[in-house]
Amino acid sequence: MTEIDDELARKLKPEPTMWIAIGIFFLMVATSLVYVYGFHREPFSSMLSGRPGSCAVLSKQYCDKGRVVDYPAGQTSVGFDLPKGTYVYAPFSGIFIATGTAESDPGLNTEGEIVLMPFGDSGGEMFHFAGEFKPLVVSRSNVQTGEPIAELGGNVIDRQSKSNFLLQFYGLSMQGRLSSSTAILAQYFNTTQ
């Protein structure tokens, strides 16, 4: 009976490699949690639900909240009334530029854009937005599609439309001329409202 008990105990005893694998697994989980909570730009809850939706520049829950507005005068924009802290994402790769200073908080900017410079004989694109925001990347740096670039401040920027975030897309010619592009805008948003 003792030999059978010894044999059974030896078979049930975990091998050292299994303990090493379990230790590595827990180390990976702990490292991921430290990264998410300690070093990542976005809070964990935002990482789960805050990826760009079909409109490419906002989370899915906000994409259909925009309305066509005349801002600035004579130009078609999409205006939003979004909660403070909403993230703005890069709709395409390019150079991010933050300008303007908010009256309500000198630490916030009021205008931002991403420029995709033209190559060869083709023109480029520019995504422009207005609203009080805190930049999440350094101005004049390269950004990638889907990267969070700004966190909205929440104050109204256009009193007529009561919008705190307005955006436009432009076509960019080789000579550097801008032309408002409702065609590009329509790729991301329903502009027939």
Side-chain angles (χ1 to χ4, degrees):
M1 191 109 171
T2 324
E3 282 182 30
I4 294 174
D5 289 339
D6 290 342
E7 180 72 26
L8 185 61
R10 194 173 54 235
K11 286 184 178 179
L12 293 176
K13 182 179 178 186
E15 293 192 29
T17 54
M18 184 176 82
W19 287 111
I20 292 171
I22 290 172
I24 290 172
F25 171 76
F26 282 112
L27 183 62
M28 288 172 42
V29 169
T31 302
S32 298
L33 291 173
V34 167
Y35 172 74
V36 167
Y37 286 110
F39 300 108
H40 203 275
R41 293 182 194 166
E42 296 178 74
F44 186 66
S45 60
S46 176
M47 287 180 60
L48 293 177
S49 63
R51 293 289 168 227
S54 60
C55 62
V57 298
L58 296 169
S59 298
K60 180 181 176 181
Q61 70 263 32
Y62 303 124
C63 283
D64 63 349
K65 304 289 187 217
R67 59 206 174 278
V68 176
V69 298
D70 186 40
Y71 179 90
Q75 294 187 29
T76 301
S77 296
V78 178
F80 294 85
D81 180 20
L82 299 170
K84 181 178 181 176
T86 301
Y87 285 99
V88 178
Y89 300 92
F92 48 77
S93 297
I95 299 170
F96 170 71
I97 302 167
T99 60
T101 303
E103 289 180 20
S104 65
D105 182 349
L108 299 177
N109 292 100
T110 56
E111 293 193 40
E113 55 197 29
I114 295 178
V115 179
L116 178 62
M117 300 302 287
F119 295 99
D121 292 335
S122 63
E125 289 182 53
M126 184 171 85
F127 162 63
H128 180 268
F129 64 93
E132 291 186 356
F133 67 92
K134 176 177 74 175
L136 298 176
V137 293
V138 177
S139 186
R140 303 207 182 280
S141 62
N142 289 315
V143 294
Q144 301 301 313
T145 303
E147 182 177 349
I149 55 172
E151 180 181 348
L152 295 181
N155 291 325
V156 170
I157 191 128
D158 177 38
R159 297 196 192 291
Q160 184 175 345
S161 67
K162 296 183 175 69
S163 300
N164 64 1
F165 178 66
L166 295 120
L167 61 88
Q168 299 167 311
F169 285 88
Y170 294 94
L172 184 61
S173 73
M174 287 299 295
Q175 295 77 28
R177 287 190 216 111
L178 293 175
S179 58
S180 182
S181 178
T182 53
I184 299 171
L185 191 63
Q187 291 175 10
Y188 298 101
F189 296 94
N190 178 6
T191 56
T192 59
Q193 299 173 350

